[in-house]
Amino acid sequence: MFKTETYIARRQQLKQLVNSGIILIFGNNESPCNFPANGYYPFRQDSSFLYYFGQQRDGLVGVIDVDNDTETLIGDDIDIEDIVWYGSVESVKMMAEQVGVSNSAPMKALQGICAEALAKRRKIHFLPPYRYDIKLQLFDLLGIHPNQQKQETSMELIRAVVKMRSTKTAEEVEELERAAVIGYKMHTTAMRLTKPGVTEKFIAGQVDGTAHSYGSMVSFPTIFTQHGEILHGSPSPAPLEAGRLVLCDAGAETVNNYCSDNTRTMPVSGKFTQRQLEIYSIVEACHDYALEVAKPGVKWMDVHFAVCRLMTDRLKELGLMKGDAEEAVRAGAHAMFLPHGLGHMMGMDVHDMEALDQINVGFDEETRPNLEQFGTNCLRMGRRLEEGFVVTDEPGIYFIPALIDEWKANGHCAEFLNFDKLETYKDFGGIRIEDDVLITKDGCRFLGKDRIPYHAKDVEEFMQHN
């Protein structure tokens, strides 16, 4: 946890932004794995609840009465049977005091608080629920059917939370730096273990174990696969094969649940082939170019398309694309190779605040998403960058056989793509390089004191000597 004053200041600012009404911020309940007493481990608290109330225990709700300037932590104290199995924990009253909340009450009190507010026609603000137990609780409290709850969520509260959580304070950046340290250990572990004959699942398990050993948990399910063209490919029992590429996309959460998210692509044999190196060098150049362009006031969408134009020019040199680069990108031809956005916001969630809907987080009234064009419709972030934002920089080039076949059959973007040459790359896989970037006053910088090797020669040298 941060110091008590941090949570007090956050809630005070939230009250100022929301102006009136009652704010409900639900913590998560324990989630059963395959029967009620066998819960998923470790417990993961809701990020917005952590941001404002800081406590990791399950079964808590934060209530902020904006008009009366009062705050209450709602939750039931555990009984002796739980203490026998799990040990003693602080009372709800003690947890409230730790984060500067004056009042506490058992869960049954929440029904009365909501009923009184409804009777007085006061606005009750809540964020979009994403777990079904919370949806049912909201149904009981407010009478809003789960199917209608997303529409009934408070845009005032969403905008306030996005405004606050988007800009990282110095203490949050320190926590993100700690996550980057764990991320470095995870990825260098993968690089050390990568060699022909070792299975994808074994290495992914070692990567996951590193996250659990040094922090709280992985920030998302680890991707470790020789099929890098599958964007979210899960590790399989397949042994690594000489001559192929393997892609590792993994991150950690600190004990305070701030995230890292990095991707590296490496040759299983320890040395890139010439064809692999040609594609890798393009991704490497795009990754580094984003760092030159990104700074406060620049739209992230413009950074994305600047990278796409560079990628297109370089792919033309290899004969995989053709025609005018600007026109090719405008037509979406680059999405044959890069069908996702350049990156996303990151913080306490690896896709920061995704539960609040990416259109509210990554876009604003000035910058709207393009939901019609393939590839462009997958941008999670487009708005102007501000000092204190943390975004991922993750260009990639993928050769997806099914996509090649579909576009070739339909003649889609045929004036910009060399389908005959693409046919020879169907067995290539995919390459992605990803790092976490803090937007600074004048530009941007990587997070993490140690750089996970990503320049081709550095990757080869690390794998050779480790």
Side-chain angles (χ1 to χ4, degrees):
M1 289 173 61
F2 296 124
K3 58 184 183 294
T4 301
E5 290 74 20
T6 294
Y7 301 103
I8 293 173
R10 287 173 176 175
R11 293 192 301 272
Q12 188 60 36
Q13 184 180 354
L14 185 64
K15 283 182 274 191
Q16 293 169 356
L17 290 171
V18 174
N19 291 318
S20 65
I22 291 179
I23 300 169
L24 304 181
I25 299 183
F26 289 83
N28 283 333
N29 297 314
E30 191 66 82
S31 181
C33 180
N34 57 338
F35 55 87
N38 189 26
Y40 279 106
Y41 177 82
F43 169 73
R44 180 52 159 92
Q45 185 62 282
D46 175 79
S47 295
S48 289
F49 182 88
L50 278 176
Y51 188 82
Y52 294 105
F53 289 92
Q55 295 291 357
Q56 292 279 4
R57 213 205 80 179
D58 61 301
L60 299 174
V61 182
V63 179
I64 302 173
D65 188 324
V66 180
D67 305 304
N68 295 308
D69 195 23
T70 62
E71 302 164 351
T72 306
L73 184 64
I74 303 286
D76 294 327
D77 290 326
I78 68 170
D79 58 26
I80 191 62
E81 289 192 15
D82 286 326
I83 291 172
V84 167
W85 289 100
Y86 301 110
S88 296
V89 298
E90 291 93 346
S91 66
V92 175
K93 183 177 186 297
M94 291 173 62
M95 288 190 287
E97 291 171 351
Q98 289 170 359
V99 292
V101 174
S102 301
N103 306 303
S104 62
M107 188 59 69
K108 65 182 180 182
L110 187 57
Q111 185 75 58
I113 292 171
C114 292
E116 182 181 358
L118 290 172
K120 294 180 178 180
R121 298 184 180 279
R122 298 181 65 195
K123 174 69 175 178
I124 299 178
H125 305 269
F126 60 91
L127 298 172
Y130 52 89
R131 288 191 172 185
Y132 287 98
D133 52 341
I134 303 300
K135 290 183 178 184
L136 291 173
Q137 189 175 6
L138 272 169
F139 186 27
D140 290 341
L141 291 169
L142 306 180
I144 304 171
H145 192 278
N147 290 342
Q148 303 300 317
Q149 287 173 8
K150 185 175 181 180
Q151 296 92 301
E152 295 294 326
T153 53
S154 167
M155 283 307 304
E156 289 176 76
L157 181 57
I158 289 173
R159 292 191 188 102
V161 172
V162 170
K163 179 180 177 64
M164 292 181 65
R165 286 183 56 189
S166 292
T167 304
K168 306 303 185 287
T169 63
E171 59 187 347
E172 288 183 286
V173 171
E174 288 179 11
E175 199 65 30
L176 287 162
E177 296 278 16
R178 294 185 187 100
V181 170
I182 305 172
Y184 175 86
K185 294 177 184 294
M186 295 168 73
H187 280 273
T188 52
T189 294
M191 285 185 175
R192 282 195 298 270
L193 293 173
T194 292
K195 54 180 62 69
V198 184
T199 67
E200 294 176 6
K201 282 189 72 67
F202 176 81
I203 298 176
Q206 299 301 305
V207 169
D208 288 356
T210 303
H212 286 272
S213 298
Y214 291 97
S216 171
M217 58 190 293
V218 293
S219 53
F220 58 95
T222 294
I223 299 165
F224 190 88
T225 177
Q226 295 170 101
H227 286 282
E229 77 279 7
I230 302 174
L231 300 184
H232 285 175
S234 298
S236 77
L240 301 184
E241 299 176 14
R244 296 185 67 175
L245 294 170
V246 65
L247 185 150
C248 180
D249 188 345
E253 292 192 4
T254 66
V255 292
N256 287 318
N257 299 107
Y258 281 80
C259 299
S260 71
D261 182 7
N262 301 94
T263 306
R264 293 295 185 265
T265 309
M266 62 209 95
V268 172
S269 302
K271 189 171 180 60
F272 293 101
T273 67
Q274 182 57 35
R275 188 171 76 150
Q276 290 168 350
L277 193 59
E278 289 171 350
I279 301 299
Y280 190 94
S281 66
I282 300 175
V283 180
E284 181 183 347
C286 291
H287 170 275
D288 290 354
Y289 183 57
L291 295 172
E292 298 178 25
V293 181
K295 61 183 177 180
V298 173
K299 289 183 181 179
W300 187 247
M301 183 177 284
D302 291 341
V303 181
H304 169 82
F305 285 118
V307 165
C308 292
R309 287 190 292 272
L310 172 61
M311 181 181 294
T312 298
D313 280 331
R314 294 287 299 271
L315 287 168
K316 284 170 58 180
E317 294 173 6
L318 294 181
L320 287 161
M321 296 191 72
K322 57 188 177 179
D324 181 76
E326 188 72 41
E327 290 297 321
V329 170
R330 189 176 295 116
H334 65 281
M336 165 63 73
F337 308 94
L338 179 61
H340 61 74
L342 179 63
H344 49 80
M345 298 273 263
M346 197 188 71
M348 295 183 80
D349 305 310
V350 70
H351 295 158
D352 212 17
M353 298 171 282
E354 189 171 84
L356 306 184
D357 200 328
Q358 286 296 326
I359 197 170
N360 299 319
V361 178
F363 297 88
D364 53 23
E365 292 182 3
E366 178 192 18
T367 309
R368 307 306 294 168
N370 178 350
L371 302 178
E372 303 301 320
Q373 188 182 72
F374 176 80
T376 306
N377 62 347
C378 290
L379 269 64
R380 289 189 170 98
M381 172 73 176
R383 60 189 283 203
R384 291 189 188 276
L385 299 168
E386 297 180 23
E387 183 180 359
F389 281 14
V390 173
V391 295
T392 61
D393 168 22
E394 50 179 308
I397 292 178
Y398 315 92
F399 295 90
I400 306 169
L403 188 62
I404 294 171
D405 290 343
E406 181 173 318
W407 283 27
K408 183 178 181 179
N410 297 333
H412 183 62
C413 288
E415 63 270 39
F416 303 114
L417 297 168
N418 185 341
F419 286 110
D420 290 340
K421 188 74 174 282
L422 276 168
E423 286 287 335
T424 68
Y425 279 78
K426 280 185 173 181
D427 63 346
F428 186 92
I431 293 172
R432 181 165 64 251
I433 305 172
E434 176 183 16
D435 282 299
D436 306 326
V437 175
L438 171 68
I439 306 302
T440 60
K441 181 180 179 181
D442 301 314
C444 64
R445 70 169 178 86
F446 286 130
L447 287 171
K449 67 181 182 67
D450 295 318
R451 186 67 39 238
I452 306 164
Y454 75 91
H455 294 299
K457 61 179 178 58
D458 295 334
V459 172
E460 291 178 341
E461 184 175 337
F462 185 92
M463 294 181 72
Q464 181 181 350
H465 294 103
N466 292 276

